[in-house]
Amino acid sequence: MELLRLATAGSVDDGKSTLIGRLLFDSKAIFEDQLESVERVSRQRGDEYTDLALLTDGLRAEREQGITIDVAYRYFATPARKFIIADTPGHIQYTRNMVTGNSNADLTIVLVDARKGIVEQTRRHAFLASLLRVPHILLCVNKMDLVGYDRDVFESLREEFAAFASRLDVADLSFIPISALQGDNVVQRSVNMPWYEGASLLHHLEQVYISSDRNLIDPRLPVQWVIRPQAASRLDYRGYAGRVAGGVFRPGDQVMVLPSGLTTTVAGIDTFDGPLDEAFPPMSVTIRLDDDIDISRGDLICRPMNQPTVGQDLDAMVAWMTERPLAPGDFLALKHTTRWVRAVVRDIHYRLDVNTLHRDESATSLALNDVGRVSLRVTQPLYYDSYRRNRQTGSFILAAEDTDVTAGAGMLLGPD
Amino acid sequence: MERDWGVAGSGQYQLSELQNIEAQSIHIIREVAAEFERPVLLFSGGKDSVVMLRLAQKAFWPGRIPFPVMHIDTGHNFTEVLEFRDRCVTEIGATLVVASVQHSIDSGRVAEEAGPNPSRNRLQTRTLLDAINEHRFDAVFGGARRDEEKARAKERVFSFRDEFGQWDPKNQRPELWSLFNGRHRSGEHIRVFPLSDWTELDIWQYVVEEQIDLPSIYFSHRRHVFRRDGMLLAVGPHVSPRDDEETFEATVRYRTVGDMTCTGAVESSASSAEDIVIEVAASRLTERGATRADDRVSEAAMEDRKREGYF
Ligand SMILES: Nc1nc2c(ncn2[C@@H]2O[C@H](COP(=O)(O)OP(=O)(O)O)[C@@H](O)[C@H]2O)c(=O)[nH]1
Ligand SMILES: [Mg+2]
């Protein structure tokens, strides 16, 4: 069975949590005790109907305020696929939680309230999803019940969003008119919108083609851990454990190890379940090499004819996620693949206005929730690809050196 | 049994859903081993911790697991589970640390609840935090899954705990991609949940595929039980029926194994992991809803316990 990771996006009250609740409810993925608990809480609060958003808004504060504060993960499966859903908050002050939920998504559902239309948060979230390079974006025009299931409302929002999205980097964009509350086009096709001829949301999620979304071209294995069993029977064993971040490795392949630049061949690919003929993303494996070369955590195994960029001067789009602004001269801890290094901010080139996508080149810092283009210098060379080419070797996080909190997320820019 | 690694070679390079989450769990476990000085894996002998231990074995094979395992012993555990725990740990050659709630009570750190059948569920938190301090553990692997409960559904894979062991659900660190941030100061620690994305059904399917051994109480057996709060509790040294509670013999099994005083059995004739996969797939109740009194205290019982430092 295949796995699809999806995340929600869109402004507060556009119906994200209700939609996820409806999806789970109509696909019979809700357990009786969960439903009873949600019904009880709804009754106690005096809701007119059972609030399905309570299925994901599980924290005390969320229930008291009727909002989503942090990502909730929910799981369900149909005979076709297993789904991991990240339901994210719409408030601007919780943008970092939206980014958290979307960073691993294969597909983002952007919700819009049919009455309110496309607002700043819709654009911000669609922009962030495209920046994170979520391969599939699905715009759901929600609350169609409140606009009389009017086709024109849907068509005009679709046009408006498509025009905005054409300026983003979106590989696949689709549109569905729905009512999360009533269930129209969520699991079943709606009888109220005969003019809509596309698939229901669930059907779309089951069908969308996801296998082309990984990099199978550039072999990359960031070394996580060196396995050296202290057992008499395996005294000479040396394995390099890690998760394949790109490409395919096979025994006999000629490989290069960075930073040393030494070349050797793959002697074998080991797992607890036996040796492998091929290792590809996102497998966690252990590679043995023919020659005894000095390799430690943070090194990278690649191919001599296909090497990543090596450098200390980085150019990246950075999403800033903490109150203290980011400014030139700031020192931060940076984690890239399996390495922590120190970084200093050299320059803030521009800040992006999420509404207009205008580049404000006069910006001298990035505030909480800003996104901008930043140059950094790091203490040791990194072996990286552009984020566009490889989500694993092209991303990094920044942590504050004093408080240790995760303060920023970076997507590396490169020649391609 | 030869393992089928997706459809490698056919040009599709697609892992199955279980292989996908397995690879992610192994990645998480290796990150922790590499970045922390003193990790520990919480091991109760329950199915989730047994699967977590298997994943740790896989992560470092053919080497050994480079950290100890720890059991928080409430003193109210099922004997079958304790025996299983010891056998398991010996077989894979891991080091076992046992932290005992009885000891916390005897040394005056916590007081036993009043009443005829006191639960030690809440007391475990003190024992756990004391053990973390005593051994200076800086990363603690837990087998919690996000599908178990609504507060767990909100938690990060790397979950920061302050010097009091507290979780602050309104102020969690962003967690992007698979780039985990385990930075912390001395006295603070990180709870790590490698099974975050696993569901109960995934666990059982994995138990079948991997032919993993589990304590016998997971499978159907005859037992003397009585009904309390809609749950079937086993009659045993720490739990006895009140006068109005009638004891009877039934064919039951456990969906979770916790403290005998608050873990209920379900009526079931599922006698193998294969049977259980079928049963779980058809179940209309979550495992905690069906069997755990500790979650019934209030709507936010789990969140409150987790804030205090519970598993
Ligand atoms: N009429 C109508 N109301 C909806 C629909 N979807 C959501 N709502 C309501 O909109 C409000 C906000 O929903 P919620 O799911 O919490 O929004 P979120 O902030 O995006 O998660 C709630 O009162 C919902 O009942 C819909 O399709 N039709
Ligand atoms: Mg919400």
Side-chain angles (χ1 to χ4, degrees), chain B residues 174-195:
Chain B
E175 190 167 79
L176 286 97
W177 304 294
S178 294
L179 288 172
F180 299 105
N181 176 4
R183 296 169 70 92
H184 63 282
R185 308 279 131 158
S186 127
E188 302 165 345
H189 71 276
I190 307 282
R191 296 286 172 87
V192 182
F193 301 107
L195 302 181

Side-chain angles (χ1 to χ4, degrees), chain A residues 37-177:
Chain A
S37 138
V38 163
E39 283 169 344
R40 192 165 53 237
V41 173
S42 256
R43 253 196 323 274
Q44 280 163 4
R45 285 202 319 207
D47 297 345
E48 279 165 38
Y49 44 82
T50 301
D51 183 0
L52 291 176
L54 290 169
L55 284 164
T56 56
D57 292 339
L59 294 176
R60 191 193 283 281
E62 293 178 323
R63 290 171 165 219
E64 282 165 9
Q65 299 168 44
I67 58 165
T68 308
I69 292 173
D70 209 333
V71 194
Y73 293 91
R74 297 303 306 250
Y75 303 81
F76 84 107
T78 65
R81 275 181 181 167
K82 176 181 166 182
F83 300 94
I84 300 182
I85 305 174
D87 182 34
T88 72
H91 284 87
I92 184 155
Q93 75 257 42
Y94 303 127
T95 302
R96 56 177 170 234
N97 298 335
M98 178 274 175
V99 170
T100 290
N102 277 270
S103 67
N104 289 316
D106 301 306
L107 181 145
T108 296
I109 302 178
V110 180
L111 265 90
V112 183
D113 182 328
R115 298 166 307 171
K116 295 188 192 148
I118 289 150
V119 296
E120 176 170 343
Q121 274 304 78
T122 324
R123 282 187 284 265
R124 178 187 303 276
H125 282 183
F127 166 68
L128 287 170
S130 81
L131 185 71
L132 290 163
R133 299 195 65 77
V134 178
H136 308 275
I137 291 185
L138 177 59
L139 185 85
C140 284
V141 177
N142 187 30
K143 309 198 185 183
M144 288 300 292
D145 54 308
L146 297 180
V147 295
Y149 297 105
D150 184 351
R151 178 177 196 163
D152 293 341
V153 173
F154 173 69
E155 294 296 346
S156 85
L157 287 174
R158 170 206 187 94
E159 264 169 48
E160 187 184 343
F161 189 82
F164 177 72
S166 68
R167 295 155 62 206
L168 304 173
D169 206 354
V170 179
D172 173 43
L173 179 62
S174 315
F175 302 85
I176 305 183

Side-chain angles (χ1 to χ4, degrees), chain A residues 82, chain B residues 17-18 21-22 25 45-55 142-148 194-214 218-219 253 255-256 273-274 276-277 280 287:
Chain A
K82 176 181 166 182
Chain B
E17 180 261 328
L18 275 183
I21 55 178
E22 178 196 62
S25 301
K47 64 183 188 315
D48 301 319
S49 68
V50 173
V51 165
M52 186 163 64
L53 194 62
R54 168 63 61 92
L55 292 165
R145 309 186 322 265
R146 285 173 178 154
D147 81 323
E148 275 179 79
L195 302 181
S196 288
D197 280 338
W198 293 61
T199 63
E200 186 188 13
L201 190 58
D202 292 327
I203 294 283
W204 282 108
Q205 283 172 340
Y206 196 70
V207 166
V208 170
E209 278 189 21
E210 299 280 316
Q211 302 175 315
I212 293 174
D213 256 350
L214 288 177
Y218 277 114
F219 306 99
R253 66 175 199 87
R255 269 176 89 177
T256 65
E274 286 86 348
I276 293 174
V277 167
V280 169
E287 63 179 43

Side-chain angles (χ1 to χ4, degrees), chain A residues 1 30 32-33 40 60 62 70 75 82 103 214 224 243 273 278 284 297 335 387 404 406, chain B residues 9 13-14 17 23-24 27 31 35 58 153-154 177 180-181 185 197 202 284 286 299 303-304:
Chain A
M1 187 159 37
I30 307 282
E32 281 167 18
D33 51 315
R40 192 165 53 237
R60 191 193 283 281
E62 293 178 323
D70 209 333
Y75 303 81
K82 176 181 166 182
S103 67
R214 285 159 309 144
Q224 251 186 311
R243 189 161 197 194
D273 300 291
E278 291 185 306
S284 285
R297 174 172 167 88
K335 187 177 187 183
Y387 185 75
D404 295 329
T406 308
Chain B
Y13 298 108
Q14 196 70 34
E17 180 261 328
Q24 172 74 352
H27 172 79
E31 277 302 281
E35 291 206 346
K58 290 195 174 195
K154 293 271 167 181
W177 304 294
F180 299 105
N181 176 4
R185 308 279 131 158
D197 280 338
D202 292 327
R284 299 307 310 143
T286 65
E299 282 299 330
E303 180 180 338
D304 294 343

